[in-house]
């Protein structure tokens, strides 16, 4: 029997098993009342995350074919075979831990039994089965009119066009451009900004280094009243699953930390009725937020997609495994030393992480619904 790492929500239970260089990796999703699977669409979704496709990702090539073991209402299990493993590239990491990685803390928790090959269970490789489960949740939400789209907001200081929290006049146009991102090889709205990001990634790769960035996620069509106070907060649930993704260093909703620099009178979103009045048309005007600095959530509860979409950002750190020589220690001899890590790694994990955060947002929302 596989040993799963579990997340338990109100209705859903999600288990992930495997390691970066194990024979297979897999997922078990319990509680989702959905048994439809478009295998062609699933393959396209998985390809957005898959490694070894271009110059800005790891040269490790994996087909990431999802093999469904069971699919019925309330249960989805699947696995992915690892076909391109090189565990010898990561020998002795428990003795000389990599800076920025989980080698040292894994030794503290698990001792010598921890398998450090490629990061073991801490590896971003485990986001592949997470994406498979997230795709099913995303499909379930889409049937309810809920759309989740994401793009690279910034890499190495280069910024893409992003959601305007202070002025919603061009929101419809922006959302239309965002909806086209999944069809692009490099997931940005502004192509010129994307080229600059690629240059920054290439420069980091040539320097045996890596860069990080941010990802913006927008959720449209969510009903109002989803979530709740304190532990039922929709932000808390989404953030919890975001932090299950390796390399996540921060999550902010709406204008996030910028709100700390404002006064309430400038940060608060005014309520307005937008559209024709009842005396001018058969349709009543719609209630909306004039601005959307709250990111579509008030008191941990969604305001509703017709009022404002949910918008949040995720900060993704530079890939910690790099080929540049770094200072570390030898835990056996208790001396200072250096380490140069071989193996294959992404000079920037951000482009491949875009569908991952769509997947975890879908799982969080499907649990609520």
């Amino acid at each position: 029997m596989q040993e799963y790492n579990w997340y338990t929500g109100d209705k859903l239970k999600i288990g992930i098993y495997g390691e970066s260089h194990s024979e297979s990796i897999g997922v078990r999703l319990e509680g989702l009342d959905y048994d439809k699977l478009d295998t062609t669409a699933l393959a396209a979704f998985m390809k957005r995350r898959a490694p070894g496709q271009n110059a800005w990702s790891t040269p490790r090539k994996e087909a990431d074919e999802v093999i469904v073991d069971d699919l019925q209402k309330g249960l989805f299990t699947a696995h992915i075979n690892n076909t391109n493993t090189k565990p010898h590239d990561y020998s002795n990491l428990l003795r000389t831990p990599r800076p920025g990685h989980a080698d040292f803390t894994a030794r503290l928790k698990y001792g010598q039994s921890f398998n450090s090959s490629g990061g073991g269970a801490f590896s971003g490789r485990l986001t592949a089965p997470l994406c498979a489960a997230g795709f099913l949740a995303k499909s379930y939400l889409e049937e309810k009119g809920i759309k989740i789209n994401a793009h690279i907001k910034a890499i190495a200081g280069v910024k893409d066009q992003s959601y305007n929290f202070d002025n919603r006049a061009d929101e419809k146009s922006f959302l239309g451009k965002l909806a086209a991102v999944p069809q692009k090889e490099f997931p940005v709205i502004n192509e010129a900004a994307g080229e600059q990001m690629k240059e920054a990634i290439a420069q980091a790769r040539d320097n045996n280094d890596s860069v990080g960035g941010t990802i913006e996620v927008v959720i449209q069509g969510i009903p109002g009243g989803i979530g709740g106070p304190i532990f039922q907060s929709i932000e808390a649930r989404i953030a919890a699953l975001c932090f299950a993704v390796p390399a996540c260093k921060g999550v902010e909703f709406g204008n996030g930390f910028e709100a700390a620099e404002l006064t309430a009178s400038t940060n608060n979103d005014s309520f307005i009725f937008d559209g024709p009045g009842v005396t001018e048309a058969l349709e009543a005007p719609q209630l909306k937020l004039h601005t959307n600095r709250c990111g579509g959530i008030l008191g941990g509860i969604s305001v509703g997609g017709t009022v404002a979409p949910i918008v949040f950002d995720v900060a993704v750190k530079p890939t910690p495994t790099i080929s540049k020589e770094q200072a570390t220690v030898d835990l056996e001899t208790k001396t200072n030393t250096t380490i140069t890590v071989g193996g294959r790694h992404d000079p920037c994990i951000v482009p491949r992480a875009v569908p991952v955060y769509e997947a975890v947002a879908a799982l969080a929302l499907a649990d609520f619904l």
Side-chain angles (χ1 to χ4, degrees):
M1 178 175 288
Q2 301 293 350
E3 185 175 346
Y4 288 91
N5 283 301
W6 289 100
Y7 168 84
T8 302
D10 283 344
K11 300 292 184 182
L12 303 188
K13 190 176 180 182
I14 308 159
I16 301 289
Y17 82 81
E19 297 174 350
S20 180
H21 294 272
S22 59
E23 183 178 341
S24 68
I25 51 181
V27 64
R28 182 182 180 91
L29 175 63
E30 300 177 3
L32 185 66
D33 190 19
Y34 192 74
D35 60 356
K36 302 174 186 177
L37 184 63
D38 183 335
T39 55
T40 301
L42 171 60
F45 187 73
M46 297 299 296
K47 186 177 180 181
R48 293 171 58 197
R49 195 222 68 94
Q53 301 184 84
N54 41 56
W56 52 86
S57 71
T58 170
R60 176 178 179 176
K61 293 185 181 295
E62 293 282 0
D64 279 358
E65 178 187 0
V66 178
I67 301 168
V68 177
D69 301 307
D70 196 355
L71 175 60
Q72 54 185 290
K73 288 186 176 181
L75 180 63
F76 169 66
T77 61
H79 72 276
I80 298 167
N81 290 322
N82 283 332
T83 60
N84 191 359
T85 60
K86 292 185 178 182
H88 59 275
D89 285 342
Y90 303 91
S91 60
N92 297 323
L93 294 183
L94 287 183
R95 178 171 178 170
T96 53
R98 292 168 292 181
H101 223 288
D103 304 329
F104 175 69
T105 49
R107 176 168 171 157
L108 291 178
K109 184 171 181 65
Y110 302 110
Q112 296 290 345
S113 65
F114 174 65
N115 182 357
S116 62
S117 296
F122 297 93
S123 172
R125 182 83 187 116
L126 277 298
T127 61
L130 187 62
C131 274
F135 174 81
L136 198 69
K138 199 166 184 280
S139 301
Y140 166 79
L141 295 175
E142 285 174 355
E143 287 198 357
K144 297 179 177 295
I146 301 168
K147 299 178 182 178
I148 303 175
N149 290 300
H151 71 115
I152 299 170
K153 187 173 183 176
I155 284 178
V158 181
K159 297 179 180 180
D160 189 21
Q161 180 183 352
S162 60
Y163 184 88
N164 192 332
F165 298 104
D166 297 322
N167 186 349
R168 299 182 64 192
D170 296 325
E171 181 177 284
K172 186 175 181 180
S173 173
F174 171 79
L175 294 176
K177 295 174 184 176
L178 181 61
V181 167
Q183 283 71 52
K184 298 182 178 182
E185 184 182 25
F186 197 77
V188 292
I189 294 171
N190 186 299
E191 302 292 346
E195 291 302 317
Q196 293 180 50
M197 292 178 190
K198 291 178 192 177
E199 291 173 9
I201 295 171
Q203 184 177 357
R205 182 192 62 225
D206 293 343
N207 291 333
N208 296 321
D209 216 331
S210 66
V211 290
T214 55
I215 293 170
E216 181 175 63
V217 184
V218 181
I219 302 166
Q220 302 174 66
I222 186 76
I226 302 299
I230 313 187
F231 303 120
Q232 299 300 316
S233 161
I234 199 168
E235 296 111 318
R237 297 295 189 85
I238 291 175
L241 284 171
C242 283
F243 278 108
V245 179
C248 176
K249 296 301 291 183
V251 181
E252 64 175 0
F253 291 82
N255 62 353
F257 284 94
E258 181 188 343
E261 307 297 324
L262 304 176
T263 61
S265 60
T266 53
N267 186 62
N268 289 346
D269 301 302
S270 300
F271 291 97
I272 60 168
F273 277 113
D274 186 37
V278 290
T279 58
E280 300 168 354
L282 294 177
E283 293 185 4
Q286 283 191 330
L287 176 66
K288 290 189 175 182
L289 294 181
H290 181 61
T291 53
N292 189 21
R293 301 183 187 102
C294 68
I297 303 169
L298 291 169
I301 301 171
S302 60
V303 300
T306 59
V307 180
I310 291 176
V311 186
F312 69 92
D313 292 351
V314 181
V316 181
K317 73 176 183 179
T319 315
T321 308
I322 57 175
S323 301
K324 186 185 289 288
E325 185 178 82
Q326 299 176 86
T328 187
V329 294
D330 187 318
L331 294 173
E332 300 299 324
T333 63
K334 294 181 171 54
T335 56
N336 296 323
T337 185
T338 60
I339 186 171
T340 302
V341 182
R344 303 156 296 177
H345 61 271
D346 294 79
C348 182
I349 200 67
V350 178
R352 292 176 53 216
V354 169
V356 180
Y357 289 107
E358 293 177 13
V360 295
L363 287 165
L365 294 179
D367 188 40
F368 275 116
L369 294 171

